[in-house]
Amino acid sequence: MEAQTNNLRRIAIDPVSRVEGHGKITLLLDADNHVQEARLHIVEFRGFEKFIQGRPYTEVPYFVQRLCGICPVSHHLAAAKAVDQIVGVDELTPTATKLRRLLHFGQVLQSHALHFFHLSSPDFLFGFGSDLAHRNIVGVLEDYPDIGLKGVKLRKYGQQVIAAIAGKRIHGAAAIPGGMNKALDEDERQALLVDIADIIAWSQDAVTLNESIHLQHPENHAFATLQTNYLGMIGAQGELELYHGGLRARRADGSDIFDQFDYRNYGLMIREEVRNWSYMKFPYFTAIDKENGWYRVGPLARVNLCDSIATPLAEAARVRFRAFGGGAYVHDTLAFHWARMIEMLHCAEAIQELLNDPDITGTDLLVTGEKRPQGIGVIEAPRGTLFHHYQVNEQGLIEKANLIVSTTSNNQAMNESVRSVADHYLDGQEEITEGLLNHLEVAVRAYDPCLSCATHALGKMPLQVELYGHDGQLLSHLTKNSDGSYGCGLD
């Protein structure tokens, strides 16, 4: 969509395609088509932080799953970890812990498979500016049936793991305060073991495909690339950790901001800023400042930050990944996809290990404790570090909730990447084509944003209504500000 505002031409990609949730990208171009502004806007409002207030804490792990249909398990488990603390439980039984890990690995595997094969692979297999009608998963299945079918089967297997533990693939019931509500029986374990060797092999193929794509296209190494801070969770020995560990934050050069930090004290290290043009907040490290303290999370951050990966095939892939960076951090934004497939391989290997662990079919599932007034749960969701923080009253009702969702942490980085691509590929172009605009979407897709998860800034973004004439000219606009006041007129 195009419109004319203040002698600047406005182009909107609305909505951004092949991502979860609703967002738009806007460009402001001058008379010579030079980019004056480029922004990613999150235009849908969810507000879960507000309307879970007054609900019993026992409902929260199930309630917050409805934030998303792609990563509900991540919200379920982060909330469950917070609720564990509310009921006074710091350590679950071995079986309950391993069931939660198995559930989480299934979630990350299916989400990573979905994002690369269904949403992102068309850009790389056909080209950023290829025919729009063919640049999709149907086109992949037609032209690359082996790749497409492997992607479908990988996602299906991850969903089977979730269904075995939670009862169904989406919005199931598994974690309860202090443990799990159901054991995994032997028939379910055996059924999941049938295909696991193929799942590992196909995950290896996915790593190889992404590695070769990245290495064979050096022109993409600088695409939307940023030198940033990073945040992620690590295990006790600095290994990749997706379920439970300490927080590590480092600068672009690898120097520490903090390490093995107890996530229950996250408020000391992270603040959130609200801006009036997006429903998504902008987090930053307090040890730096608003302007320079923003950071990236997710597969690229995690594979950069960890010292090792506990499963052998994924560790070998990590070593090759870091060798590509010459031992330094890999900042290439499109390397998110390569790192994502390394994590998918790790999840496949970890699922196999857990399915062969005798504890996995145990029946000791619950621990109890003394109630506390608050709980904080943090987990590495597919898209990055996810924070759930709840405070409850004496009746066990939620009084306050704060969620820092993975996509929120990548908000500033996504906007910086959009601006970088706009400046490099669109600035000064005589004709702005769909293929050129897709370059902006490719930059956003690299982060695998879940936009519906990330919108929580209640009452901060003004409501704006714009009226355009048949010729695209802005006739009038009305704005309701966060303080309740109104503004109207012509731009």
Side-chain angles (χ1 to χ4, degrees), residues 85 90 247 261-268 372 374-378 387 389:
Q85 292 179 29
D90 294 316
L247 296 179
F261 189 77
D262 185 342
Y263 62 67
R264 291 173 294 185
N265 299 314
Y266 78 96
L268 299 175
R372 300 167 182 165
Q374 74 169 357
I376 298 170
V378 177
F387 298 79
H389 181 183

Side-chain angles (χ1 to χ4, degrees), residues 226-232 247-252 257-258 266 269-273 281-298 301 305 336 380 383-387 403-416 447:
L226 310 169
Q227 299 275 326
T228 66
N229 307 307
Y230 293 101
L231 173 70
L247 296 179
R248 172 178 284 177
R250 285 181 173 168
R251 297 176 178 84
I257 300 172
F258 51 82
Y266 78 96
M269 295 298 183
I270 298 173
R271 292 283 190 276
E272 297 173 274
E273 181 186 12
K281 294 179 283 189
F282 291 79
Y284 61 94
F285 292 136
T286 58
I288 307 179
D289 53 44
K290 291 181 182 179
E291 288 71 29
N292 302 296
W294 52 275
Y295 55 91
R296 292 199 278 186
V297 299
L305 287 168
F336 260 103
E380 284 293 336
R383 293 153 184 82
T385 318
L386 170 64
F387 298 79
L403 278 63
I404 304 179
V405 179
S406 316
T407 298
T408 304
S409 291
N410 282 330
N411 193 6
Q412 183 68 39
M414 288 190 293
N415 275 278
E416 296 289 340
Y447 294 88

Side-chain angles (χ1 to χ4, degrees), residues 195-213:
D195 294 324
I196 190 59
D198 286 338
I199 296 303
I200 292 173
W202 297 338
S203 297
Q204 284 184 279
D205 292 343
V207 172
T208 300
L209 174 63
N210 276 267
E211 185 174 349
S212 63
I213 287 173

Side-chain angles (χ1 to χ4, degrees), residues 13-25 40-46 278-280 444 449-455:
I13 304 173
D14 187 7
V16 177
S17 63
R18 286 186 274 137
V19 297
E20 204 286 321
H22 299 282
K24 68 178 179 180
I25 294 171
L40 171 66
H41 306 257
I42 311 307
V43 296
E44 66 174 325
F45 174 67
R46 304 278 279 174
S278 178
Y279 279 124
M280 191 156 58
V444 173
C450 185
L451 306 179
S452 60
C453 290
T455 54

Side-chain angles (χ1 to χ4, degrees), residues 62-74:
Y62 305 102
F63 204 81
V64 296
Q65 290 189 98
R66 269 63 184 181
L67 273 163
C68 182
I70 303 298
C71 50
V73 170
S74 301

Side-chain angles (χ1 to χ4, degrees), residues 30 126 169:
D30 64 19
F126 301 129
R169 293 173 297 171

